[in-house]
Amino acid sequence: MSAILRRFPADEPVYQFISKKRAEGKLYRVYMMASANKFLRICYATVKQYLDSLKA
């Protein structure tokens, strides 16, 4: 998640989520774990969509 903070553009959804949680005053561990969860959900959905397109 720290790599996302350093390298990803500000318009990327996970970066925006991290920024929102930091602005809410969440603890470091809390917003990093929530952001990792969001990142993995996006990755899983992307891979699932790709694999479903191969079956069709």
Side-chain angles (χ1 to χ4, degrees):
M1 292 297 95
S2 56
I4 288 176
L5 286 174
R6 280 187 256 132
R7 294 194 173 92
F8 277 56
D11 62 341
E12 204 271 329
V14 177
Y15 184 90
Q16 290 175 351
F17 183 78
I18 293 171
S19 297
K20 184 178 96 173
K21 292 300 174 187
R22 288 169 80 182
E24 291 175 0
K26 300 287 185 189
L27 296 174
Y28 176 81
R29 184 174 290 173
V30 171
Y31 72 77
M32 288 303 249
M33 292 304 292
S35 302
N37 188 19
K38 183 168 185 76
F39 178 75
L40 289 173
R41 286 176 182 264
I42 290 171
C43 287
Y44 176 77
T46 304
V47 170
K48 187 172 181 342
Q49 183 181 23
Y50 173 73
L51 292 176
D52 288 346
S53 72
L54 291 179
K55 292 179 185 176

